[in-house]
């Protein structure tokens, strides 16, 4: 015979409703006090939401800027010397190395060799200026994610035909000809040979001179750059992968191919931006964590405010507590009553703070094209933290109210 679990009496099911109703009535009779107490939680939770939003936005911006440089890009260069520190003849990379790597490493969608030259060109004012000339292939534009504001970049036909064409940086075009558009079509002499400027270029993201491109850089076809060198050595190799997930493994494979094609003692280095991206992400996360700690201090201060107000509320309601105990209220019920009020203040403030904190990023999403990141986890954390603050800082006042002597409370004036 199965036993039937009896349903709890109706008065027990309504017990918590009564506690909630009493709490709401208390707030209605002390609206100003309730609003000022909840204000601290509003500010605290709103700042927590905004801090997470700012942190995610900053992280998104940093990663997007680094992506613009080329997260799929891998560079390889010859470091010189030997792994044992001895001296030996140079063992530079060549165009054959690039061809071998493209054949042996899957996933490469673009590649370019680079040779480096230097020259001086006349500038307005009768002076000469040092310029950096880089001989690259037409795929260099895609590997380095370059922007072409005016004219065009040289193509495969220019490279194969060894056309004497050049692309110059935007700052150099303005310095020499006054504007980017005016530079296109102008003749320029490099190392004694006449070239025609067919376009201007710039990096998609400003690297402030921390890349191979400077303000006074001129790009020419690699095949033409060979006219000025007496060897087939290249200074650097550039590769772009079809999938960013392949970059770490491909970096190792490129280095292995280079090492296998040269003397064992020669030192080569293949690098990518993955490590830089990881560092940037960690820095952004660390800054977000620090800002979250600052927001947590605000929440703690709000919790102390709630505790102070609830202690004052207990003092002003001593007689009420005595009456409730006289008619049968237990210490647990008195404790639960005041704890409920503290949690309600904290939760209401937290919800209003969350709405206020989300208002800015949501508005920016609607008013602008920029997709401000919104963290659902931060909303959950804000709700949990606001509830915990109410419980932690409401426990002391609730315990003090429960411990009041009913006889002394009834005598209290």
């Amino acid at each position: 015979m199965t036993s039937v679990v009896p349903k709890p009496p109706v008065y027990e099911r309504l017990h918590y409703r009564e506690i909630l109703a009493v709490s709401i009535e208390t707030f209605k009779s002390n609206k100003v006090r309730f609003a000022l107490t909840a204000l601290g939680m509003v500010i605290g939770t709103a700042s927590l939401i905004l801090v997470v939003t700012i942190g995610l936005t900053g992280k998104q911006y940093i990663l997007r800027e680094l992506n613009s440089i080329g997260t799929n890009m891998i560079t390889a260069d010859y470091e010189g010397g030997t792994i044992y520190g001895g001296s030996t003849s140079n063992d530079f990379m060549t165009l054959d190395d690039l061809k071998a790597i493209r054949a042996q490493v899957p996933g490469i969608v673009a590649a370019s060799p680079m040779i480096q030259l230097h020259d001086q060109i006349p500038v307005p004012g009768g002076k000469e200026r040092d310029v950096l000339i880089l001989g690259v292939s037409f795929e260099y534009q895609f590997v380095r994610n370059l922007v072409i504001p005016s004219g065009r970049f040289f193509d495969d036909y220019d490279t194969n035909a060894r056309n004497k064409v050049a692309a110059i940086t935007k700052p150099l075009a303005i310095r020499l000809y006054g504007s980017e558009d005016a530079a296109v079509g102008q003749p320029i002499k490099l190392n004694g040979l006449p070239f025609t400027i067919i376009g201007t270029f710039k990096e998609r993201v400003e690297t402030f001179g921390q890349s191979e491109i400077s303000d006074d850089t001129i790009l020419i076809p690699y095949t033409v750059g060979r006219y000025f060198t007496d060897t087939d050595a290249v200074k650097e190799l550039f590769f772009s992968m079809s999938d960013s997930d392949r970059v770490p493994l491909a970096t190792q494979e490129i280095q292995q191919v280079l090492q296998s094609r040269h003397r064992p003692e020669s030192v080569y280095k293949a690098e990518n931006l993955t490590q830089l991206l990881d560092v940037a992400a960690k820095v952004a996360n660390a800054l977000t964590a620090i800002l979250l700690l600052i927001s947590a201090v605000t929440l703690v201060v709000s919790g102390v405010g709630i505790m102070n107000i609830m202690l004052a509320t207990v003092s002003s309601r001593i007689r009420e507590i005595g009456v409730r105990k006289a008619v049968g209220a237990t210490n647990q019920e008195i404790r639960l009553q005041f704890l409920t009020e503290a949690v309600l203040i904290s939760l209401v403030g937290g919800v209003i703070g969350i709405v206020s904190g989300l208002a800015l990023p949501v508005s920016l999403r609607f008013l602008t094209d920029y997709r401000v990141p919104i963290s659902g986890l931060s909303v959950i954390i804000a709700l949990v933290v606001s509830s915990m603050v109410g419980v932690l800082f409401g426990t002391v006042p609730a315990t003090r109210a429960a411990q009041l002597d009913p006889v002394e409370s009834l005598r209290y004036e």
Side-chain angles (χ1 to χ4, degrees):
M1 181 176 178
T2 58
S3 59
V4 179
V5 178
K7 294 182 179 179
V10 175
Y11 73 87
E12 288 187 10
R13 296 202 302 270
L14 296 177
H15 182 68
Y16 293 103
R17 296 182 185 178
E18 292 174 359
I19 290 177
L20 185 60
V22 172
S23 300
I24 294 173
E25 287 299 322
T26 301
F27 296 150
K28 287 182 178 180
S29 60
N30 298 278
K31 294 178 182 178
V32 176
R33 178 188 293 179
F34 169 72
L36 292 176
T37 307
L39 182 61
M41 289 302 302
V42 172
I43 296 173
T45 50
S47 64
L48 188 148
I49 297 292
L50 288 174
V51 160
V52 173
T53 301
I54 292 170
L56 289 176
T57 303
K59 181 179 179 179
Q60 184 185 75
Y61 174 78
I62 293 172
L63 296 181
R64 188 175 66 251
E65 292 296 287
L66 291 175
N67 283 332
S68 298
I69 298 175
T71 51
N72 293 0
M73 183 178 71
I74 301 173
T75 60
D77 60 1
Y78 170 56
E79 295 201 315
T82 72
I83 57 177
Y84 307 108
S87 60
T88 184
S89 58
N90 289 323
D91 193 10
F92 292 114
M93 298 180 297
T94 66
L95 189 61
D96 290 336
D97 289 322
L98 184 144
K99 294 177 181 178
I101 290 171
R102 295 199 76 157
Q104 297 180 41
V105 178
I108 296 177
V109 293
S112 172
M114 186 190 80
I115 56 176
Q116 192 176 88
L117 307 167
H118 297 275
D119 194 15
Q120 289 186 329
I121 60 174
V123 296
K127 298 181 179 180
E128 290 191 336
R129 190 175 188 88
D130 293 328
V131 293
L132 174 65
I133 304 170
L134 300 180
V136 296
S137 77
F138 73 97
E139 291 185 347
Y140 180 81
Q141 174 190 357
F142 309 111
V143 176
R144 288 290 279 107
N145 207 11
L146 298 179
V147 177
I148 311 298
S150 301
R152 66 178 180 88
F153 201 75
F154 47 84
D155 53 25
D156 193 25
Y157 174 79
D158 293 317
T159 301
N160 293 330
R162 293 179 172 82
N163 291 334
K164 297 178 183 63
V165 293
I168 67 175
T169 60
K170 176 180 176 180
L172 186 59
I174 295 173
R175 185 175 294 113
L176 294 177
Y177 306 105
S179 70
E180 296 175 78
D181 293 334
V184 178
Q186 294 287 344
I188 187 172
K189 186 169 286 189
L190 302 175
N191 285 343
L193 289 180
F195 283 76
T196 301
I197 298 174
I198 60 172
T200 61
F201 72 93
K202 65 177 183 178
E203 294 177 285
R204 192 171 297 274
V205 177
E206 180 61 62
T207 57
F208 303 102
Q210 299 305 305
S211 69
E212 74 281 1
I213 296 174
S214 64
D215 284 347
D216 298 327
T217 298
I218 300 175
L219 301 181
I220 63 174
Y222 169 80
T223 51
V224 180
R226 274 279 164 246
Y227 288 153
F228 308 110
T229 62
D230 55 0
T231 70
D232 60 351
V234 298
K235 179 175 178 57
E236 199 166 359
L237 298 177
F238 291 83
F239 303 94
S240 181
M241 305 301 298
S242 59
D243 186 0
S244 58
D245 293 335
R246 275 275 305 158
V247 170
L249 179 59
T251 303
Q252 298 177 12
E253 293 173 345
I254 289 172
Q255 184 154 346
Q256 289 171 1
V257 173
L258 285 173
Q259 293 289 169
S260 67
R261 290 177 51 82
H262 293 269
R263 294 194 298 262
E265 65 271 14
S266 298
V267 181
Y268 301 89
K269 187 174 184 181
E271 295 180 299
N272 59 65
L273 292 179
T274 303
Q275 187 175 7
L276 184 58
L277 285 171
D278 292 339
V279 171
K282 289 177 181 178
V283 170
N285 290 337
L287 290 175
T288 303
I290 292 172
L291 292 174
L292 280 174
L293 289 176
I294 296 173
S295 299
V297 172
T298 305
L299 290 173
V300 171
V301 172
S302 303
V304 173
I306 291 174
M307 184 173 65
N308 288 336
I309 292 298
M310 291 306 299
L311 286 172
T313 301
V314 170
S315 299
S316 65
R317 294 166 63 184
I318 290 179
R319 188 171 181 82
E320 174 194 331
I321 295 170
V323 172
R324 293 188 64 182
K325 284 191 172 185
V327 296
T330 64
N331 287 348
Q332 183 180 359
E333 289 172 337
I334 298 297
R335 185 183 298 108
L336 185 59
Q337 177 67 56
F338 283 88
L339 192 59
T340 301
E341 293 179 13
V343 172
L344 273 179
I345 293 174
S346 182
L347 269 179
V348 170
V351 170
I352 296 174
I354 290 171
V355 173
S356 303
L358 291 176
L360 179 60
V362 170
S363 299
L364 288 175
R365 280 193 169 197
F366 281 107
L367 298 176
T368 66
D369 294 332
Y370 187 74
R371 300 292 294 176
V372 179
I374 297 175
S375 172
L377 181 61
S378 65
V379 175
I380 297 174
I381 291 175
L383 280 174
V384 172
V385 170
S386 58
S387 302
M388 290 177 60
V389 166
V391 172
L392 291 174
F393 291 94
T395 300
V396 173
T399 303
R400 179 171 296 185
Q403 290 175 345
L404 289 175
D405 183 81
V407 177
E408 294 296 329
S409 300
L410 289 171
R411 293 177 180 175
Y412 184 81
E413 295 293 340

